[in-house]
Amino acid sequence: MSFYLPAVSNIEETQVVRKAYEAADISVKYRDTSGLNSSSKIITGDKLRLDLSAGFDEQILGGSARFKVGADTFLDRTGTLYRNVDSSNNSGIASGVIQYGTGKVEIDSWTPNVDNSITLESLTTTTDLPPLNHVSFRTPIIPIRPQSLTVVVASLDYGQLTLTTDANGVIETNRAHGSINHDTGFVDLYFYTKTEITVANRAEIEANDWYDPLLEYEEAGKTYINVPVWVDASSIRYNAIAYTYIPLDSEILGLSATRLPLDGRVPIFRVGDIGIISASKVYELPDYIAGQTYSLDDQRISWLELEDSEGVKVPYDMYVVDYDYGKFTLNGDFALGTLVAPLSARYRYQDMGLIRDVQINGQITFTKPVTHNYSIENSIVGSALVINDMQARYTRKFVQPTWSNLWADEAVGGAISANYNDALYPIAVTNNGNIQERWALVFTDAQSFRCIGEYSGQIGTGSVNTDFAPINPVTGVSYFKVKKEGWGSGWASGNVLRFNTIAATYPVWVIRTVKQSEPTVISDQFQIMLRGDIDRVV
């Protein structure tokens, strides 16, 4: 028995797109010489394509289209078709897109094996709503949280566009380009497609009403034009998360909040300011031998403290630090005493420089390179409060007949003959011992007096026959020194010598803010670090 394949003389293939509104017969050409063979094939369509505005050229209003395909009812929402919307909760199945400019519909989800007849139930079109490709608006509440803005808009040719911003507030897709200012809430969006102009498409592009030769531009040796993507301005919807802040209470802050930003955050980095990079590390001592010198892993450190395993600080007079070479030496009479081993050295090294540039992403550039190696886990960048040169001094020396308990900077009452000659014997003050204070030396008789401070209270008594130098208990040196040679005669009980001392310090307001949250530790603490420049003796 022999089998013979059918003789094929010619095969013709024709692809024709049929739309639902076109009435047409499907023709099939085939060859079957025997007349006894038959076959069937099931073809599954990927999408159903309709034209709701066939025969006229008008723009469809968003939310006006309603039609049925078989037993399914479709509604449009901002360019997206939803199937079988439940009236109780207004939810449906996203099933396709609609082009408001052309009326074309693409359905990618429907109920199979049912009648595919189409019934148009509702549709509204207009000729008075010109399309746009540039939209700007401002959110009513500011500031906006980064990466929280989502814009939904219906395009006339591409259906619904869903746009989201990145961390920098930028929107960049192949059809939408724009940005948002998180502080002001201003959104600016352009809709276009960057298209290369070639010989093949130039005639088609130039035939558009919007074409202008000035819109063409050169890039990398090629000619491009931004082809507008038209959108329905009435369809634009957005969603964003904005911050709101509780008003700052001036009584709680301790200062006026008039000039503070709404969120209370003040910029600490500006171009031209001084910034400091710091790295904090811990070195555990292998032992604690008196007179032993220990070397750290880093040199040119700026600060060091020793503490035991329970966080108790080792007295500063029990060790000496060599900051240049990163070493410290325990005193020859060092003893552990009540301290609990092991001991640890907490130290810090830093670089200080002038800030050249500050970026919104947090990048800071200095005018000079750093001189240490810094790692992310133990380094921070901070700003510096520049104090400039400070020197202790005294000012506003005067006398008055009686002490009235009023701390005025001018004499109260009449003049007296007694005085102190500070032209020849100035009151001596030092940076280490002096404090910010107003002093009154109130005489109890012709030779003795009491020393009273406005904030310190009475700190001692003295006599015109000896130098008066009360000791500052914090530093162990005198607040000031009044020389016995400067006292004139004629002092009587009740007379007062008044003067003010200005400390070699700088007034700094410290306000610590803790955000609302559950406590993570029972107690917490912080330190204020002072940096100073000195004259080295080489």
Side-chain angles (χ1 to χ4, degrees):
M1 180 180 293
S2 301
F3 294 93
Y4 297 93
L5 295 176
V8 179
S9 60
N10 186 28
I11 296 178
E12 295 182 3
E13 180 180 356
T14 304
Q15 293 185 358
V16 179
V17 178
R18 299 296 182 183
K19 300 181 179 179
Y21 58 82
E22 294 180 346
D25 296 330
I26 299 177
S27 301
V28 179
K29 295 181 180 181
Y30 65 95
R31 180 184 181 188
D32 187 359
T33 57
S34 67
L36 299 177
N37 299 328
S38 63
S39 63
S40 63
K41 183 177 181 180
I42 300 176
I43 301 175
T44 303
D46 60 341
K47 293 183 180 180
L48 295 180
R49 293 177 174 84
L50 317 174
D51 190 343
L52 299 181
S53 59
F56 52 92
D57 185 13
E58 295 179 6
Q59 181 179 335
I60 298 176
L61 292 180
S64 68
R66 179 188 177 97
F67 60 93
K68 297 185 68 175
V69 176
D72 295 333
T73 301
F74 294 84
L75 305 177
D76 81 286
R77 294 175 179 172
T78 322
T80 300
L81 293 176
Y82 290 87
R83 174 165 54 97
N84 300 332
V85 176
D86 189 346
S87 59
S88 62
N89 54 23
N90 204 28
S91 64
I93 304 173
S95 303
V97 296
I98 180 174
Q99 299 177 7
Y100 289 133
T102 62
K104 295 181 179 180
V105 172
E106 291 186 355
I107 302 174
D108 51 24
S109 174
W110 65 89
T111 302
N113 302 322
V114 297
D115 184 13
N116 61 355
S117 61
I118 301 171
T119 304
L120 182 62
E121 297 183 345
S122 173
L123 185 68
T124 304
T125 61
T126 181
T127 58
D128 299 329
L129 191 62
L132 304 174
N133 74 322
H134 180 204
V135 177
S136 299
F137 62 90
R138 182 180 179 275
T139 60
I141 302 177
I142 55 173
I144 302 298
R145 193 185 77 180
Q147 293 182 284
S148 69
L149 175 69
T150 300
V151 179
V152 179
V153 59
S155 66
L156 301 188
D157 299 321
Y158 303 101
Q160 178 177 295
L161 303 179
T162 302
L163 314 172
T164 57
T165 58
D166 60 15
N168 297 323
V170 177
I171 295 175
E172 189 64 39
T173 67
N174 59 339
R175 296 190 179 106
H177 318 265
S179 62
I180 178 176
N181 187 316
H182 294 124
D183 295 329
T184 63
F186 182 76
V187 181
D188 197 21
L189 295 175
Y190 290 86
F191 299 91
Y192 62 85
T193 301
K194 181 180 179 181
T195 305
E196 180 185 355
I197 299 178
T198 62
V199 177
N201 65 4
R202 175 173 285 279
E204 181 184 356
I205 292 176
E206 292 180 352
N208 292 287
D209 296 336
W210 51 263
Y211 174 78
D212 191 318
L214 298 177
L215 297 178
E216 298 184 13
Y217 58 93
E218 299 289 334
E219 186 175 301
K222 298 181 180 180
T223 303
Y224 292 90
I225 192 170
N226 294 333
V227 177
V229 174
W230 304 111
V231 299
D232 180 5
S234 64
S235 68
I236 296 179
R237 302 290 184 271
Y238 76 89
N239 180 50
I241 299 176
Y243 292 111
T244 56
Y245 300 96
I246 300 174
L248 300 172
D249 192 333
S250 299
E251 294 184 359
I252 296 177
L253 289 177
L255 53 84
S256 174
T258 304
R259 299 182 62 184
L260 291 177
L262 293 177
D263 56 3
R265 296 184 298 176
V266 180
I268 63 174
F269 299 109
R270 296 182 179 88
V271 176
D273 286 354
I274 294 178
I276 298 176
I277 307 175
S278 301
S280 300
K281 296 184 178 181
V282 178
Y283 170 80
E284 185 173 316
L285 279 68
D287 47 40
Y288 42 90
I289 302 174
Q292 180 72 32
T293 298
Y294 300 88
S295 298
L296 304 174
D297 297 331
D298 303 280
Q299 297 182 350
R300 293 181 294 109
I301 64 174
S302 58
W303 170 84
L304 182 142
E305 283 184 345
L306 293 183
E307 62 181 35
D308 67 0
S309 59
E310 296 184 354
V312 178
K313 297 185 184 300
V314 178
Y316 299 114
D317 58 359
M318 298 180 67
Y319 57 94
V320 178
V321 182
D322 187 337
Y323 293 96
D324 288 332
Y325 292 96
K327 300 178 180 180
F328 62 93
T329 303
L330 301 181
N331 290 352
D333 57 349
F334 179 85
L336 195 62
T338 59
L339 300 173
V340 180
L343 302 181
S344 298
R346 297 186 177 273
Y347 68 96
R348 183 180 300 125
Y349 56 84
Q350 300 176 326
D351 275 293
M352 182 172 64
L354 197 65
I355 298 176
R356 187 183 68 185
D357 184 48
V358 179
Q359 297 292 333
I360 194 173
N361 60 3
Q363 180 177 335
I364 299 176
T365 305
F366 288 83
T367 57
K368 65 178 184 179
V370 296
T371 61
H372 294 90
N373 294 324
Y374 295 93
S375 55
I376 298 177
E377 60 272 10
N378 55 26
S379 301
I380 60 172
V381 179
S383 61
L385 177 62
V386 181
I387 299 177
N388 295 322
D389 296 336
M390 301 297 295
Q391 182 176 355
R393 63 194 187 275
Y394 77 96
T395 183
R396 293 186 176 276
K397 189 227 65 171
F398 59 89
V399 296
Q400 61 187 41
T402 58
W403 177 234
S404 59
N405 292 317
L406 297 177
W407 296 98
D409 289 333
E410 301 293 339
V412 178
I416 60 175
S417 59
N419 206 337
Y420 179 84
N421 186 359
D422 64 332
L424 296 179
Y425 306 101
I427 300 174
V429 293
T430 62
N431 291 341
N432 195 18
N434 194 18
I435 64 173
Q436 196 86 9
E437 182 65 286
R438 292 196 280 194
W439 303 100
L441 304 184
V442 182
F443 278 78
T444 56
D445 54 37
Q447 296 182 343
S448 302
F449 55 81
R450 298 181 297 129
C451 180
I452 304 172
E454 181 181 11
Y455 300 102
S456 304
Q458 181 171 323
I459 62 171
T461 59
S463 170
V464 297
N465 298 318
T466 58
D467 294 340
F468 180 63
I471 299 300
N472 184 338
V474 176
T475 62
V477 298
S478 60
Y479 290 105
F480 53 84
K481 183 178 182 180
V482 180
K483 299 180 180 180
K484 63 180 184 298
E485 293 85 1
W487 294 107
S489 59
W491 292 97
S493 177
N495 291 168
V496 180
L497 171 64
R498 270 275 292 110
F499 61 93
N500 300 340
T501 53
I502 309 299
T505 57
Y506 190 81
V508 178
W509 286 74
V510 179
I511 299 178
R512 193 179 188 199
T513 303
V514 179
K515 294 184 178 180
Q516 303 94 327
S517 62
E518 293 296 326
T520 57
V521 294
I522 298 177
S523 63
D524 200 2
Q525 61 182 355
F526 70 95
Q527 289 181 319
I528 297 177
M529 183 174 183
L530 299 178
R531 291 175 55 94
D533 296 328
I534 62 173
D535 296 328
R536 292 180 179 269
V537 179
V538 181

